[in-house]
Amino acid sequence: MKALILVGGFGTRLRPLTLSVPKPLVDFANKPMIMHQIEALKAVGVTEVVLAINYQPEVMLNFLKDFEAKLGITITCSQETEPLGTAGPLALARDKLVDESGEPFFVLNSDVISEYPLKAMIEFHKSHGGEASIMVTKVNEPSKYGVVVMEESTGKVEKFVEKPKIFVGNKINAGIYLLNPSVLDKIELRPTSIEKEVFPKIASENKLFAMVLPGFWMDIGQPRDYITGLRLYLGSLRKNSSPKLASGSHIVGNVLVDESAKIGEGCLIGPDVAIGPGCVIESGVRLSRCTIMRGVRVKKHACISSSIIGWHSTIGQWARVENMTVLGEDVHVCDEIYSNGGVVLPHKEIKTSILKPEIVM
């Protein structure tokens, strides 16, 4: 089987992290976002992954070459010269996706994190005999999204309603699709939307079916949702009693600690924290609801909550970092500094406190 991952654009909502690497390579729970998807695809027998990309393809491919060998999966790029929306990239990658087997192929949105029940999706797709299957997820606030209206018993999709003003349902497109090759005949090579143009056409022929995604789902394309996504992901590891979760008297709730990280005496870590490779957490540090990326040093008695600390940064002694602070790569926060929602670009030293959310160039 084959799969296409829609990597797309510049990742502006996750700056300053995406100033250092393309968005799919930003770490989430101690591995690049896109690896969560590639590993899930590999597990259900996908042998070739195509990345639809219009930005820095060489950075992506160089990075993923290491993983190709480790995972035994082929990874190639299909590069857009102009943004083609969410359907155009499928037409562009047509030759890479279609072979004589006639097997359906997966399409995934690279910002989405979930439990990826792809095996169940393959079975669902075979059982309904339609042309396309999409995953939907239930949300509390459907008016922000495109809502999928479907028959509960069969999953047959009736229509799509974009950002509904009145309640039509609470299931939204989760950005995970399984499509027959014939779907490609409905897509022109131009900027076009799979949600607004292609799927409604298939639904009108009664050939589009939706499966409700079990477990959690999050689009982690911006900091607040990234932190929420981490909480949901770690909660799912706990539910499946994963051995990856840390334990000990200094751990509260669900925490992921890379085996090469060092943690000092008297720390209190958790809930919902990921600590990456090579990090040094000195004594008396308090961490909650945050991601500490590779090579970060957090000095004595610092306190970090609801924040993302980029690669190789340093947090000074007694510093306090909170309220969706996002530090880019190699940022150095001096001792006793307070950051209240600061967004700091790479390679900066912070010598004065950031008292209200602002961007520090």
Side-chain angles (χ1 to χ4, degrees):
M1 281 185 87
K2 299 186 177 186
L4 180 83
I5 301 180
L6 295 166
V7 173
F10 301 113
T12 48
R13 296 177 305 160
L14 264 188
R15 282 182 184 163
L17 301 168
T18 48
L19 296 172
S20 298
V21 296
K23 181 169 59 176
L25 300 185
V26 170
D27 296 313
F28 176 81
N30 291 353
K31 60 185 167 200
M33 284 184 193
I34 202 163
M35 288 311 299
H36 292 272
Q37 299 177 325
I38 293 175
E39 286 172 3
L41 289 165
K42 163 76 180 168
V44 292
V46 169
T47 53
E48 193 173 327
V49 175
V50 182
L51 307 178
I53 189 165
N54 62 18
Y55 174 61
Q56 291 186 321
E58 50 294 324
V59 180
M60 289 282 293
L61 279 178
N62 290 342
F63 176 86
L64 292 166
K65 279 285 164 266
D66 304 344
F67 286 101
E68 260 194 328
K70 263 186 218 158
L71 293 173
I73 192 166
T74 308
I75 302 172
T76 57
C77 269
S78 168
Q79 193 187 359
E80 306 164 30
T81 48
E82 57 166 343
L84 290 172
T86 51
L90 278 72
L92 188 65
R94 182 187 184 114
D95 296 347
K96 291 177 160 44
L97 292 171
V98 177
D99 55 26
E100 54 287 350
S101 73
E103 285 281 315
F105 57 88
F106 283 104
V107 178
L108 277 73
N109 185 334
S110 73
D111 293 357
V112 165
I113 200 89
S114 75
E115 285 176 14
Y116 306 115
L118 304 179
K119 191 167 185 286
M121 193 176 192
I122 295 171
E123 285 160 13
F124 173 72
H125 187 76
K126 285 180 179 154
S127 71
H128 66 62
E131 199 168 32
S133 301
I134 67 174
M135 284 274 187
V136 293
T137 183
K138 292 178 181 172
V139 290
N140 298 332
E141 192 48 64
S143 62
K144 298 196 304 204
Y145 303 94
V147 172
V148 180
V149 180
M150 56 190 266
E151 269 180 16
E152 289 300 314
S153 54
T154 61
K156 188 166 73 92
V157 174
E158 291 163 11
K159 60 178 178 180
F160 289 80
V161 184
E162 197 53 43
K163 299 193 169 117
K165 294 280 179 285
I166 55 166
F167 185 83
V168 290
N170 65 347
K171 296 181 192 70
I172 66 163
N173 174 359
I176 302 170
Y177 319 131
L178 186 56
L179 312 176
N180 287 353
S182 57
V183 170
L184 294 170
D185 300 334
K186 297 183 164 70
I187 305 173
E188 295 170 30
L189 182 52
R190 60 177 175 83
T192 165
S193 160
I194 199 163
E195 302 84 0
K196 292 177 186 160
E197 297 177 58
V198 182
F199 286 157
K201 204 184 294 179
I202 303 172
S204 69
E205 298 166 5
N206 296 323
K207 290 182 181 170
L208 180 64
F209 291 80
M211 172 181 160
V212 179
L213 179 74
F216 76 101
W217 176 89
M218 199 71 212
D219 177 330
I220 55 173
Q222 52 191 337
R224 191 169 298 278
D225 295 339
Y226 175 106
I227 294 288
T228 303
L230 183 65
R231 171 174 65 79
L232 297 172
Y233 174 82
L234 294 175
S236 143
L237 290 185
R238 173 69 66 199
K239 193 183 79 185
N240 300 319
S241 32
S242 165
K244 292 179 188 167
L245 290 171
S247 56
S249 57
H250 60 301
I251 300 287
V252 186
N254 302 330
V255 174
L256 205 54
V257 180
D258 187 88
E259 56 196 21
S260 62
K262 294 183 169 57
I263 296 178
E265 296 286 299
C267 291
L268 189 57
I269 294 172
D272 308 320
V273 172
I275 298 174
C279 290
V280 177
I281 311 296
E282 294 185 3
S283 59
V285 165
R286 176 75 181 102
L287 304 177
S288 62
R289 295 180 304 282
C290 62
T291 284
I292 311 291
M293 291 186 184
R294 187 181 60 249
V296 167
R297 178 178 285 266
V298 182
K299 295 187 176 174
K300 292 175 184 164
H301 307 293
C303 176
I304 303 172
S305 66
S306 303
S307 296
I308 303 173
I309 310 300
W311 311 270
H312 306 290
S313 293
T314 310
I315 307 295
Q317 297 186 32
W318 295 101
R320 185 180 181 98
V321 174
E322 62 187 29
N323 191 23
M324 287 302 143
T325 291
V326 183
L327 304 185
E329 181 182 16
D330 181 42
V331 168
H332 302 281
V333 174
C334 294
D335 294 350
E336 299 180 29
I337 291 292
Y338 173 54
S339 169
N340 173 18
V343 172
V344 184
L345 273 65
H347 315 298
K348 289 286 294 178
E349 187 174 28
I350 301 298
K351 294 177 177 167
T352 54
S353 288
I354 301 167
L355 300 176
K356 60 180 197 309
E358 63 176 313
I359 295 170
V360 179
M361 306 284 278

